[in-house]
Amino acid sequence: MDARPFRAALLAAILFVCCGASYRTANFVVQTADPRLAKQFGDAAEKYRKELAVAWVGKELPNWSAPCPMTVQVGANLGAGGETSFVFDRGEVFGWRMSIQGSAQRVLDSVLPHEITHMIFASHFRQPLPRWADEGGASSVEHQEEKAKHQRMLLTFLRTGRGIAFNQMFAMTEYPRDIMPLYAQGFTVVEYLIQIGGRRTFVDYVGEGLRTNDWSAATDHYYSIANLGDLQKVWLAWVAKGYPAVAPAVASRNGALSAVALASAEKRPRPEPNLIYHNGGKAAVLEAGAGASGPSNGAVVAATHVAPVSAAPATVMPADGWHARGSAGESVATVAAQPEGSPLPERTQVTHPQPLQGPQQTIIDWGGR
């Protein structure tokens, strides 16, 4: 009997055990241990890429010039998460690489749509987004269980003085040292805006903010909310009520949302200034919310680490609303009047930067089921 076929089969089996299975689609090359999961992940990635692009920007994306290598580690006890890197260079975006992990279910219903939303935003805007908008939008397409975690964490962050004043959050081009409040707060702000005006309006709003760096004017134009200070107030009122469903507002002729429609959508009173207040040195939420659940030539290569920023987290003060620590006397009313950061330069892009969790680790509490 010829031993060559046997040796070839043995070699193929060894390579499979060592390297896992690979499955290629038009835009992804999936590498994982189980060939059935490789196909499932690849087909799901293409489906999300198509459907989420239509939801966010109104049309499908053309195929990328080269497929994105996607490495997936699957385990029932692996925390869900990952990162996607890519390159911005003179108005182009390319060099995609994705590395993700989690249970098969969480990869399919949360990690993949999250990471692919980052890719859709990068393909559409061709520049980095403010961190709150990028992570908030990506988190808004996760499974409902994951979104509920962000909502619960936000209440804890607000009670303990870890909220971020909107004039600081909208100017953040890098991740803060205290990263999870940015995720929770960014997600809930995006969720609130999407409920009012939909995903397409949100994308247009972010586009105008990027072009003008005048987020108050963009907020007034697209949502008929005068400035960031007022947006912060109505968002806080919505959070304190337990994230109730918000009726969509009616678009006016120029595409902006009607102020009358916005006022009637929730039928909410003007939020009290002490909605969130200090109590013996600790911030507390009033009872209304207590039960709520590199290339050369100037190319910029995406990084996989967090670059901390100097902006301190905000705390909530009585009577006047939020104050940034170290700037006593700065009220919510003055938040919107301040400069909202310098124009966003081309820079390192980071997506979902928290480290991958080990088995049973729950430090970050992002999935892991």
Side-chain angles (χ1 to χ4, degrees), residues 245-316:
V246 181
V250 179
S252 64
R253 288 184 180 179
N254 66 358
L257 298 177
S258 164
V260 174
L262 282 169
S264 62
E266 296 177 80
K267 300 189 182 301
R268 59 179 182 267
R270 185 176 181 84
E272 295 297 327
N274 63 343
L275 175 71
I276 299 179
Y277 65 98
H278 268 303
N279 180 14
K282 295 182 178 180
V285 178
L286 295 183
E287 186 176 353
S293 40
S296 58
N297 301 320
V300 181
V301 182
T304 57
H305 64 279
V306 178
V309 296
S310 59
T315 187
V316 182

Coordinates of all heavy atoms in Angstrom, one line a residue, residues 245-316:
A245 N -39.2 54.5 26.2 CA -39.2 54.6 24.7 C -39.6 56.0 24.3 O -40.4 56.7 25.0 CB -40.2 53.6 24.1
V246 N -38.9 56.6 23.3 CA -39.2 57.9 22.9 C -39.8 57.9 21.5 O -39.2 57.2 20.6 CB -37.8 58.7 22.8 CG1 -38.1 60.2 22.4 CG2 -37.1 58.7 24.2
A247 N -40.9 58.6 21.3 CA -41.5 58.6 20.0 C -40.7 59.4 19.0 O -40.1 60.4 19.3 CB -42.9 59.3 20.1
P248 N -40.5 58.9 17.8 CA -39.7 59.6 16.8 C -40.3 61.0 16.5 O -41.5 61.2 16.5 CB -39.8 58.7 15.5 CG -40.2 57.4 16.1 CD -41.0 57.6 17.3
A249 N -39.4 61.9 16.3 CA -39.8 63.3 16.0 C -40.1 63.4 14.5 O -39.6 62.6 13.7 CB -38.8 64.3 16.4
V250 N -40.8 64.4 14.1 CA -41.2 64.6 12.7 C -40.2 65.5 12.0 O -39.9 66.5 12.6 CB -42.6 65.1 12.5 CG1 -42.9 65.4 11.1 CG2 -43.6 64.2 13.2
A251 N -39.6 65.1 10.9 CA -38.7 65.9 10.2 C -39.3 67.1 9.5 O -40.4 67.0 9.0 CB -37.9 65.1 9.2
S252 N -38.7 68.3 9.6 CA -39.2 69.5 9.0 C -38.7 69.5 7.5 O -38.0 68.6 7.1 CB -38.7 70.7 9.7 OG -37.3 70.8 9.6
R253 N -39.0 70.5 6.8 CA -38.7 70.5 5.3 C -37.2 70.5 5.1 O -36.7 69.9 4.1 CB -39.3 71.7 4.7 CG -40.8 71.7 4.5 CD -41.4 72.9 3.8 NE -42.8 72.8 3.7 CZ -43.5 73.8 3.1 NH1 -42.9 74.8 2.6 NH2 -44.8 73.6 3.0
N254 N -36.5 71.1 6.0 CA -35.0 71.2 5.8 C -34.3 70.0 6.3 O -33.1 69.9 6.4 CB -34.4 72.5 6.3 CG -34.5 72.5 7.8 OD1 -35.0 71.6 8.5 ND2 -34.0 73.6 8.4
G255 N -35.0 69.0 6.8 CA -34.4 67.8 7.3 C -34.2 67.8 8.8 O -33.9 66.7 9.4
A256 N -34.2 68.9 9.4 CA -34.0 69.0 10.8 C -35.3 68.5 11.5 O -36.4 68.5 11.0 CB -33.7 70.4 11.3
L257 N -35.2 68.2 12.8 CA -36.3 67.7 13.5 C -37.1 68.8 14.2 O -36.5 69.8 14.7 CB -35.9 66.7 14.6 CG -35.1 65.4 14.1 CD1 -34.7 64.6 15.3 CD2 -36.1 64.7 13.2
S258 N -38.4 68.7 14.1 CA -39.3 69.8 14.6 C -39.2 69.9 16.1 O -39.3 68.9 16.9 CB -40.7 69.5 14.2 OG -41.6 70.2 15.0
A259 N -39.0 71.1 16.6 CA -38.9 71.4 18.0 C -40.2 71.0 18.7 O -40.3 70.5 19.8 CB -38.6 72.8 18.3
V260 N -41.3 71.3 18.0 CA -42.7 71.0 18.6 C -42.8 69.4 18.7 O -43.3 68.9 19.7 CB -43.8 71.5 17.6 CG1 -45.1 71.0 18.1 CG2 -43.7 73.0 17.6
A261 N -42.3 68.7 17.6 CA -42.4 67.3 17.7 C -41.5 66.7 18.8 O -41.9 65.8 19.5 CB -42.0 66.7 16.4
L262 N -40.3 67.3 19.0 CA -39.5 66.9 20.1 C -40.1 67.1 21.4 O -40.0 66.3 22.3 CB -38.1 67.6 20.0 CG -37.1 67.1 18.9 CD1 -36.0 68.1 18.8 CD2 -36.6 65.8 19.3
A263 N -40.7 68.2 21.6 CA -41.3 68.6 22.9 C -42.5 67.6 23.2 O -42.7 67.3 24.3 CB -41.8 70.0 22.9
S264 N -43.2 67.2 22.2 CA -44.4 66.4 22.4 C -44.0 64.9 22.4 O -44.8 64.1 22.8 CB -45.4 66.6 21.3 OG -44.9 66.3 20.1
A265 N -42.9 64.5 21.9 CA -42.5 63.1 21.7 C -42.5 62.4 23.1 O -43.0 61.3 23.2 CB -41.2 63.0 21.0
E266 N -41.9 63.1 24.1 CA -41.8 62.4 25.4 C -42.7 63.0 26.4 O -43.0 62.4 27.4 CB -40.4 62.6 25.9 CG -39.3 61.9 25.1 CD -38.0 62.1 25.6 OE1 -37.6 61.4 26.6 OE2 -37.3 63.0 25.1
K267 N -43.3 64.2 26.1 CA -44.2 64.9 27.0 C -43.5 65.0 28.4 O -44.1 64.6 29.4 CB -45.5 64.2 27.1 CG -46.3 64.2 25.8 CD -47.7 63.7 25.9 CE -48.4 63.7 24.6 NZ -48.4 64.9 23.9
R268 N -42.3 65.4 28.4 CA -41.5 65.5 29.7 C -41.4 66.9 30.2 O -41.3 67.8 29.4 CB -40.1 64.9 29.4 CG -39.3 65.7 28.4 CD -37.9 65.2 28.2 NE -37.2 66.0 27.2 CZ -37.2 65.7 25.9 NH1 -37.8 64.7 25.5 NH2 -36.5 66.5 25.1
P269 N -41.4 67.1 31.5 CA -41.2 68.4 32.0 C -39.7 68.8 31.9 O -38.9 67.9 31.7 CB -41.6 68.3 33.5 CG -41.3 66.8 33.8 CD -41.6 66.1 32.5
R270 N -39.4 70.0 32.0 CA -38.0 70.5 32.0 C -37.3 69.8 33.2 O -37.8 69.9 34.3 CB -37.9 72.0 32.1 CG -36.5 72.5 32.0 CD -36.5 74.0 31.9 NE -35.1 74.5 31.8 CZ -34.5 74.6 30.7 NH1 -35.0 74.3 29.5 NH2 -33.2 75.1 30.6
P271 N -36.2 69.2 33.0 CA -35.6 68.5 34.2 C -35.2 69.5 35.3 O -34.7 70.6 35.0 CB -34.3 67.9 33.5 CG -34.1 68.7 32.3 CD -35.4 69.1 31.8
E272 N -35.3 69.0 36.5 CA -34.9 69.8 37.6 C -33.4 69.8 37.7 O -32.7 68.9 37.3 CB -35.4 69.2 38.9 CG -37.0 69.2 39.0 CD -37.5 70.6 39.0 OE1 -36.8 71.5 39.6 OE2 -38.6 70.8 38.5
P273 N -32.8 71.0 38.1 CA -31.4 71.1 38.1 C -30.7 70.1 39.1 O -29.5 69.8 39.0 CB -31.1 72.5 38.6 CG -32.4 73.0 39.2 CD -33.5 72.2 38.6
N274 N -31.4 69.6 40.1 CA -30.9 68.7 41.1 C -31.3 67.3 40.8 O -31.4 66.5 41.7 CB -31.2 69.1 42.5 CG -32.7 69.0 42.8 OD1 -33.5 69.0 41.8 ND2 -33.1 69.0 44.0
L275 N -31.5 67.0 39.5 CA -31.9 65.6 39.1 C -30.9 64.6 39.6 O -31.2 63.5 40.1 CB -32.0 65.5 37.6 CG -32.2 64.1 37.0 CD1 -33.6 63.7 37.3 CD2 -31.9 64.1 35.5
I276 N -29.6 65.0 39.5 CA -28.5 64.2 40.1 C -27.8 65.1 41.1 O -27.4 66.2 40.6 CB -27.6 63.6 39.1 CG1 -28.4 62.7 38.2 CG2 -26.5 62.9 39.7 CD1 -27.6 62.1 37.1
Y277 N -27.6 64.8 42.3 CA -27.1 65.7 43.3 C -26.1 65.1 44.1 O -25.9 63.8 44.2 CB -28.2 66.3 44.1 CG -28.9 65.2 45.0 CD1 -28.6 65.1 46.3 CD2 -29.9 64.4 44.4 CE1 -29.1 64.1 47.1 CE2 -30.5 63.4 45.2 CZ -30.1 63.3 46.5 OH -30.7 62.3 47.3
H278 N -25.3 65.9 44.9 CA -24.4 65.4 45.9 C -25.0 65.1 47.2 O -25.9 65.9 47.6 CB -23.2 66.4 46.1 CG -22.1 66.2 45.2 ND1 -21.4 65.0 45.1 CD2 -21.5 67.0 44.3 CE1 -20.4 65.0 44.2 NE2 -20.5 66.2 43.7
N279 N -24.7 64.0 47.8 CA -25.2 63.7 49.1 C -24.1 63.2 50.0 O -23.7 62.1 49.9 CB -26.3 62.6 49.0 CG -26.9 62.2 50.3 OD1 -26.7 62.9 51.3 ND2 -27.6 61.1 50.3
G280 N -23.6 64.1 50.9 CA -22.5 63.7 51.7 C -21.2 63.3 50.9 O -20.5 62.4 51.3
G281 N -21.0 64.1 49.8 CA -19.8 63.8 49.0 C -20.0 62.8 48.0 O -19.1 62.5 47.2
K282 N -21.2 62.1 47.9 CA -21.4 61.1 46.9 C -22.5 61.6 46.0 O -23.5 62.1 46.5 CB -21.7 59.8 47.5 CG -20.6 59.2 48.3 CD -21.0 57.8 48.9 CE -19.8 57.2 49.7 NZ -20.2 55.9 50.2
A283 N -22.4 61.4 44.7 CA -23.5 61.7 43.8 C -24.6 60.7 43.9 O -24.3 59.5 44.1 CB -23.0 61.7 42.3
A284 N -25.8 61.1 43.8 CA -26.9 60.1 43.9 C -28.0 60.5 42.8 O -28.2 61.6 42.5 CB -27.6 60.2 45.3
V285 N -28.6 59.4 42.3 CA -29.7 59.6 41.4 C -31.0 59.6 42.1 O -31.2 58.7 43.0 CB -29.7 58.4 40.3 CG1 -30.8 58.6 39.4 CG2 -28.4 58.4 39.6
L286 N -31.9 60.5 41.8 CA -33.2 60.5 42.5 C -34.0 59.3 42.2 O -33.7 58.5 41.3 CB -33.9 61.8 42.0 CG -33.3 63.1 42.4 CD1 -34.2 64.3 42.0 CD2 -33.1 63.2 44.0
E287 N -35.0 59.1 43.0 CA -35.8 57.8 43.0 C -36.3 57.5 41.6 O -36.5 56.3 41.3 CB -36.9 57.9 44.0 CG -37.7 56.6 44.2 CD -38.7 56.7 45.2 OE1 -38.7 57.7 45.9 OE2 -39.5 55.8 45.4
A288 N -36.6 58.5 40.8 CA -37.1 58.2 39.5 C -36.3 57.3 38.6 O -36.8 56.6 37.8 CB -37.3 59.6 38.7
G289 N -35.0 57.3 38.8 CA -34.1 56.5 38.0 C -33.5 55.3 38.8 O -32.8 54.5 38.2
A290 N -33.9 55.1 40.0 CA -33.2 54.1 40.8 C -33.5 52.7 40.4 O -32.7 51.8 40.5 CB -33.7 54.3 42.3
G291 N -34.7 52.5 39.8 CA -35.0 51.1 39.4 C -34.7 50.8 38.0 O -35.0 49.7 37.5
A292 N -34.1 51.7 37.2 CA -33.8 51.4 35.8 C -32.7 50.4 35.6 O -31.8 50.3 36.4 CB -33.3 52.7 35.1
S293 N -33.1 49.6 34.9 CA -32.2 48.6 34.6 C -30.8 49.2 33.9 O -30.7 50.3 33.7 CB -32.9 47.6 33.8 OG -33.7 48.2 32.8
G294 N 2.5 50.8 9.9 CA 2.4 51.9 9.2 C 3.0 52.2 7.9 O 4.2 52.2 7.8
P295 N 2.1 52.6 7.0 CA 2.6 53.0 5.7 C 3.3 54.4 5.8 O 3.1 55.1 6.7 CB 1.3 53.1 4.8 CG 0.3 52.3 5.6 CD 0.7 52.4 7.0
S296 N 4.1 54.7 4.7 CA 4.7 56.0 4.7 C 3.8 57.0 4.0 O 2.6 56.7 3.9 CB 6.0 55.9 3.9 OG 5.8 55.4 2.6
N297 N 4.3 58.2 3.7 CA 3.5 59.2 3.0 C 2.3 59.7 3.8 O 1.2 59.9 3.3 CB 2.9 58.7 1.6 CG 4.1 58.3 0.7 OD1 5.1 58.9 0.7 ND2 3.9 57.2 0.0
G298 N 2.5 59.8 5.1 CA 1.5 60.4 5.9 C 0.4 59.5 6.4 O -0.6 59.9 6.9
A299 N 0.5 58.2 6.1 CA -0.6 57.3 6.5 C -0.6 57.2 8.0 O 0.3 57.3 8.7 CB -0.3 55.9 5.9
V300 N -1.8 57.0 8.6 CA -2.1 56.8 10.0 C -2.5 55.4 10.2 O -3.5 54.9 9.7 CB -3.1 57.8 10.5 CG1 -3.3 57.6 12.0 CG2 -2.7 59.2 10.2
V301 N -1.8 54.6 11.0 CA -2.1 53.2 11.2 C -2.9 53.0 12.5 O -2.5 53.7 13.5 CB -0.8 52.4 11.3 CG1 -1.1 50.9 11.5 CG2 0.1 52.6 10.1
A302 N -3.9 52.2 12.5 CA -4.7 52.0 13.7 C -3.9 51.3 14.7 O -3.1 50.5 14.4 CB -6.0 51.2 13.3
A303 N -4.1 51.7 16.0 CA -3.4 51.1 17.1 C -4.3 50.2 17.9 O -5.5 50.2 17.7 CB -2.9 52.2 18.0
T304 N -3.7 49.4 18.7 CA -4.5 48.5 19.5 C -4.4 48.8 21.0 O -4.6 47.9 21.8 CB -4.1 47.0 19.3 OG1 -2.7 46.9 19.5 CG2 -4.4 46.7 17.8
H305 N -3.9 50.0 21.4 CA -3.8 50.3 22.8 C -4.6 51.6 23.0 O -5.0 52.3 22.1 CB -2.4 50.6 23.1 CG -1.8 51.7 22.4 ND1 -1.3 51.6 21.1 CD2 -1.6 53.0 22.8 CE1 -0.8 52.8 20.7 NE2 -1.0 53.7 21.7
V306 N -4.8 51.9 24.3 CA -5.6 53.0 24.7 C -4.6 54.2 25.0 O -3.7 54.0 25.8 CB -6.4 52.7 26.0 CG1 -7.1 54.0 26.4 CG2 -7.4 51.6 25.7
A307 N -4.8 55.3 24.4 CA -4.0 56.5 24.7 C -4.8 57.4 25.6 O -5.8 57.9 25.3 CB -3.7 57.3 23.4
P308 N -4.4 57.5 26.9 CA -5.2 58.2 27.9 C -5.2 59.7 27.5 O -4.3 60.2 26.9 CB -4.5 58.0 29.2 CG -3.2 57.6 28.9 CD -3.2 56.9 27.5
V309 N -6.2 60.4 28.0 CA -6.3 61.9 27.8 C -6.3 62.5 29.1 O -6.5 61.9 30.1 CB -7.6 62.3 27.0 CG1 -7.5 61.7 25.6 CG2 -8.8 61.8 27.7
S310 N -6.1 63.8 29.1 CA -6.0 64.5 30.3 C -7.3 65.0 30.9 O -7.4 65.4 32.0 CB -5.1 65.8 30.1 OG -5.6 66.6 29.1
A311 N -8.4 65.0 30.1 CA -9.6 65.5 30.6 C -10.1 64.6 31.7 O -10.2 63.4 31.7 CB -10.7 65.4 29.5
A312 N -10.4 65.3 32.9 CA -10.9 64.6 34.1 C -12.4 64.2 33.9 O -13.1 65.0 33.3 CB -10.6 65.4 35.3
P313 N -12.8 63.1 34.5 CA -14.2 62.9 34.5 C -15.0 63.9 35.3 O -14.4 64.6 36.2 CB -14.3 61.5 35.2 CG -13.0 61.3 35.9 CD -12.0 62.1 35.2
A314 N -16.2 64.1 35.0 CA -17.0 65.1 35.6 C -17.7 64.6 36.8 O -18.0 63.4 37.0 CB -18.1 65.6 34.6
T315 N -18.1 65.4 37.7 CA -19.0 65.1 38.8 C -20.2 66.0 38.7 O -20.3 66.9 38.0 CB -18.2 65.3 40.2 OG1 -19.1 64.8 41.2 CG2 -18.0 66.8 40.4
V316 N -21.3 65.6 39.5 CA -22.5 66.3 39.4 C -22.7 67.1 40.6 O -22.6 66.6 41.7 CB -23.7 65.3 39.2 CG1 -25.0 66.0 39.1 CG2 -23.4 64.4 38.0

